[in-house]
Amino acid sequence: MPRLFVAIPLPEDVRERLGLLAGGVPGERWVDSEKLHLTLRFVGEVDGGWAEDIMAALGGVTAKPFEVALAGVGHWGTRERATMIWAGVEKSPGLSHLQSKIESALVRLGLEPEGRKFSPHVTLARLSGSPCARVAKFIADHNLFRLPPFRIETFTLFSSFLSRGGAIYTPEVEYALLGS
Ligand code: 3AM
């Protein structure tokens, strides 16, 4: 059964700039630069028939291209036990609109609603046992991190295969955002 999620792949120059942030926190597993993405909706494991319905439902999502800017870094987990480091996303009405269209298309199809509020982010590193002072230092050091806005014209349904060497993400279908 494929494990699916919907995300925005990031342009190469953005991924390269994010890749430059890597390092400095013991216990981190940095996400490979080519895998960096902005998740819109985690779907989970679905059987083949469902996957086709999901692809069709996503194909019916209409939204216009929009701009996003990545800014700031933060962590999830507690102060003592951070679980991941992310790059933030500046408020983008276009992004929120697209995410809610995707959410309602999937819920209309019969998927359980995503209970959590959408917190747009780009996961940079997953952590285990990283000293909190080092995490705090990383975040303070990159407090002013900001990249110029870039235009989003597509979103992608990915499959995720969990292997020992980490998750393998495969783009399955790319959907164009239309209009100006
Ligand atoms: O964009 P990120 O990397 O934060 O954490 C997983 C990743 O998000 C998330 O889906 C993305 C692709 O794997 N994810 C994995 N399992 C999840 C779950 N059970 C999940 N999100 C919500 N619920």
Side-chain angles (χ1 to χ4, degrees):
M1 276 209 289
R3 190 169 186 270
L4 301 175
F5 67 102
V6 185
I8 293 174
L10 300 176
E12 189 176 356
D13 57 331
V14 171
R15 288 188 280 107
E16 276 172 8
R17 293 286 297 275
L18 290 171
L20 297 177
L21 294 174
V25 184
E28 71 188 358
R29 274 175 295 122
W30 209 261
V31 177
D32 295 339
S33 131
E34 72 270 16
K35 287 190 200 165
L36 292 166
H37 62 270
L38 194 172
T39 298
L40 295 165
R41 173 59 139 100
F42 178 74
V43 176
E45 291 194 0
V46 293
D47 67 30
W50 262 104
E52 281 183 19
D53 290 347
I54 288 167
M55 286 175 193
L58 292 174
V61 168
T62 53
K64 288 181 181 170
F66 55 88
E67 301 226 319
V68 292
L70 303 184
V73 292
H75 73 84
W76 280 342
T78 60
R79 220 182 91 76
E80 290 68 35
R81 200 169 232 291
T83 53
M84 66 120 118
I85 291 176
W86 42 261
V89 181
E90 283 187 352
K91 202 172 166 57
S92 161
L95 176 65
S96 305
H97 177 72
L98 174 62
Q99 187 273 335
S100 66
K101 284 259 181 143
I102 289 171
E103 178 65 20
S104 43
L106 295 179
V107 170
R108 220 177 299 128
L109 203 57
L111 267 72
E112 280 293 308
E114 167 61 69
R116 292 180 298 187
K117 189 174 166 290
F118 179 50
S119 304
H121 66 276
V122 176
T123 296
L124 298 177
R126 297 193 165 79
L127 310 175
S128 52
S130 301
C132 57
R134 298 292 284 273
V135 176
K137 182 174 183 326
F138 178 91
I139 287 165
D141 286 350
H142 298 290
N143 185 29
L144 297 178
F145 172 77
R146 185 180 192 274
L147 296 182
F150 52 94
R151 195 168 165 80
I152 305 299
E153 294 182 321
T154 62
F155 68 94
T156 302
L157 179 68
F158 284 91
S159 61
S160 163
F161 173 72
L162 301 178
S163 78
R164 263 204 203 171
I168 299 168
Y169 299 149
T170 307
E172 300 290 346
V173 189
E174 184 179 273
Y175 301 91
L177 301 173
L178 298 174
S180 52

